[in-house]
Amino acid sequence: MRRTVPVIDSDVFVQTMQQAGVNFFTGVPDSMLGGIIAELMIRGAYVPAVREDEAVGMAAGAYLAGRVPAVLMQNSGLGTCLNTLISLNLIYSQPCLLIVSWRGQDRNDAPEHRVMGETMLQLLDTVKIPHRTLTEETAIEDLRWVIATATKRQIPVVLILTKGVVRGLHP
């Protein structure tokens, strides 16, 4: 069943993240994340990146400076930053919250999203990066879990956003 009305407003999502202590946001734009990025820009809380691995590196620097970072990207960006996540974040205990849009999940997306859409969860499990998919019913619990897990285990953790769960730029 397809959602016709987004469930979580972008401003509520961002406010919840900030109230939970996340205070550095960077990433690479994606249409599914557009509403969140727009809200972060309104709040002056977003530092854009050219590539996902660059965003992960900026988040690592922010963490070393005492910040709690989050990186926004679509799931194809996981391929771009996988080496950085493994050789920097996992090896050197650099926590980072990754907010990842799940392109190609429903096979009703552009063909270039199909492979990553079908294999993303398996890929994350293989490289031992914990993940949880945000749902409208458990949104607060999901956010608390990813932040607590990243903080406690000192590793990157992925919060997966499916299409329509958070209001985008084009509802």
Side-chain angles (χ1 to χ4, degrees):
M1 185 168 136
R2 230 174 163 37
R3 275 189 203 98
T4 57
V5 179
V7 178
I8 303 167
D9 284 327
S10 296
D11 60 336
V12 172
F13 181 86
V14 170
Q15 183 67 32
T16 303
M17 297 283 296
Q18 289 181 318
Q19 287 174 344
V22 180
N23 58 13
F24 181 84
F25 296 87
T26 185
V28 177
D30 174 55
S31 59
M32 286 174 57
L33 301 171
I36 296 168
I37 292 171
E39 181 62 31
L40 288 167
M41 290 179 73
I42 289 168
R43 295 173 185 236
Y46 182 74
V47 180
V50 176
R51 292 173 41 111
E52 292 83 359
D53 52 353
E54 174 189 48
V56 171
M58 289 171 27
Y63 170 74
L64 291 172
R67 309 292 292 271
V68 178
V71 176
L72 292 88
M73 68 180 76
Q74 66 176 256
N75 56 346
S76 65
L78 286 170
T80 303
C81 68
L82 195 57
N83 184 56
T84 306
L85 290 168
I86 293 169
S87 62
L88 174 63
N89 295 82
L90 286 171
I91 298 298
Y92 295 105
S93 301
Q94 293 271 321
C96 182
L97 173 57
L98 301 167
I99 301 167
V100 178
S101 62
W102 195 347
R103 303 296 304 264
Q105 174 201 17
D106 59 6
R107 305 189 104 232
N108 189 19
D109 204 335
E112 62 269 19
H113 299 300
R114 184 166 291 144
V115 173
M116 187 59 88
E118 292 173 354
T119 62
M120 178 179 62
L121 300 179
Q122 181 182 357
L123 174 67
L124 291 170
D125 290 341
T126 299
V127 296
K128 298 179 173 72
I129 295 177
H131 54 87
R132 184 174 274 193
T133 302
L134 183 75
T135 69
E136 57 272 0
E137 295 85 15
T138 61
I140 299 298
E141 178 186 324
D142 296 334
L143 287 168
R144 286 182 183 150
W145 181 85
V146 294
I147 293 167
T149 302
T151 303
K152 181 180 178 184
R153 295 185 55 193
Q154 298 290 288
I155 59 173
V157 178
V158 175
L159 179 64
I160 300 166
L161 302 184
T162 57
K163 188 173 185 175
V165 74
V166 176
R167 183 182 304 276
L169 285 177
H170 308 288

